[in-house]
Amino acid sequence: MTAVQATARITAVPDGRGGTALPELTGEGPLALRRTRSAVGRAARVTVVGAMTAPLGGDRLAVHVGVEPGAVLYVDAAAATVSLPGRTGEQARYDVRLTVGEDAELHWLPEPLIAAEGSDLRMTTTAQLAPGARLVLREEQILGRAGERPGRLTTRLTVRVGGRPLLDQELSFGPGAAGWAGPAVLHTHRAVGQLLLVDPAFDDKPAEVRLPAWEAEEGEAVLTPLAGPGALLTAVAPDGLRLRRLLSATLAP
């Protein structure tokens, strides 16, 4: 089976009537894009719909999102993304590039990424924000489907505001990753996630370190301030449902 190479592109701009227009909304292969209704003021909303099974080993997928100054965009997904093994054992790649202009706002809220047994995926998310831009970004990784061992998964999240680094972290799980299942990392948990908030309001009132309310069997979470206009909520949990509960707390500057 031939590896798939596909790129989806979204561009959001102010429509001149208090809303947001989408002059570019194109998808290829497994990355189908649909404009969906938004009940959030002047925002446009796009849903990523998986048109075929991907990523498989050797696939190269990419999503490029640009939000022009003054526009507001929500991007979500119709279903989880499942990383599957290919015939050759080659690593798959999934690259997301987000660009948010001044006084623009992006909510990047995909469904979980599931690393199925035997898969090998490297996913990178790079966000470039202008001063005054706002970003809500959620990432959830589930290690293995029910009753199976996890695949190999490496993720890197890099965020810059005004050209200056705000966050740069890399996580690696599954076969060949050192110490990922040890007590200092996931231990018995098999779901991990991050909720990143970038808002200029944090310049005046930084977030405070705190532990959101949770029960022992639900997992663990912590909110930490960043050295810049942002805060990061990190959580681990036994499964995806309990992970989402931990990440669903309402957070505001």
Side-chain angles (χ1 to χ4, degrees):
M1 181 180 295
T2 303
V4 172
Q5 297 190 29
T7 301
R9 301 179 186 275
I10 307 171
T11 301
V13 302
D15 65 3
R17 303 186 302 274
T20 297
L22 300 172
E24 184 176 36
L25 188 64
T26 60
E28 298 176 337
L31 301 173
L33 305 178
R34 301 289 184 266
R35 178 162 189 168
T36 46
R37 289 186 177 182
S38 174
V40 186
R42 58 194 176 101
R45 179 182 172 193
V46 174
T47 298
V48 181
V49 179
M52 57 187 290
T53 301
L56 301 174
D59 288 354
R60 300 289 185 267
L61 307 181
V63 178
H64 299 168
V65 179
V67 187
E68 297 295 326
V72 180
L73 177 65
Y74 282 68
V75 182
D76 58 20
T81 297
V82 182
S83 173
L84 296 167
R87 292 184 177 181
T88 65
E90 186 179 355
Q91 184 182 65
R93 293 290 302 266
Y94 197 148
D95 298 313
V96 176
R97 299 180 188 177
L98 311 174
T99 304
V100 188
E102 186 174 356
D103 194 34
E105 185 173 331
L106 172 62
H107 294 246
W108 178 256
L109 304 169
E111 290 301 303
L113 172 61
I114 301 173
E117 185 174 3
S119 65
D120 185 359
L121 174 66
R122 180 174 181 85
M123 182 169 188
T124 62
T125 302
T126 304
Q128 300 280 356
L129 279 63
R134 294 173 176 84
L135 173 67
V136 178
L137 183 149
R138 182 182 68 213
E139 289 190 340
E140 298 167 313
Q141 294 94 30
I142 313 298
L143 304 178
R145 293 171 293 191
E148 73 174 13
R149 297 178 180 179
R152 177 67 183 267
L153 175 62
T154 301
T155 68
R156 183 164 185 174
L157 174 60
T158 305
V159 182
R160 295 182 175 86
V161 179
R164 301 180 63 180
L166 177 70
L167 177 67
D168 191 351
Q169 70 172 23
E170 182 167 299
L171 306 174
S172 189
F173 309 106
W180 70 275
V185 189
L186 295 188
H187 193 36
T188 60
H189 298 308
R190 288 299 177 267
V192 58
Q194 300 80 231
L195 181 65
L196 172 67
L197 307 175
V198 181
D199 192 307
F202 284 120
D203 282 329
D204 299 324
K205 187 179 180 180
E208 298 180 357
V209 175
R210 66 183 177 90
L211 297 173
W214 58 282
E215 299 178 359
E217 66 273 13
E218 292 293 308
E220 300 182 45
V222 62
L223 173 69
T224 54
L226 300 176
L232 181 67
L233 176 64
T234 303
V236 295
D239 54 51
L241 177 61
R242 283 178 276 192
L243 177 68
R244 178 65 63 87
R245 288 174 181 166
L246 286 170
L247 294 177
S248 294
T250 300
L251 302 175

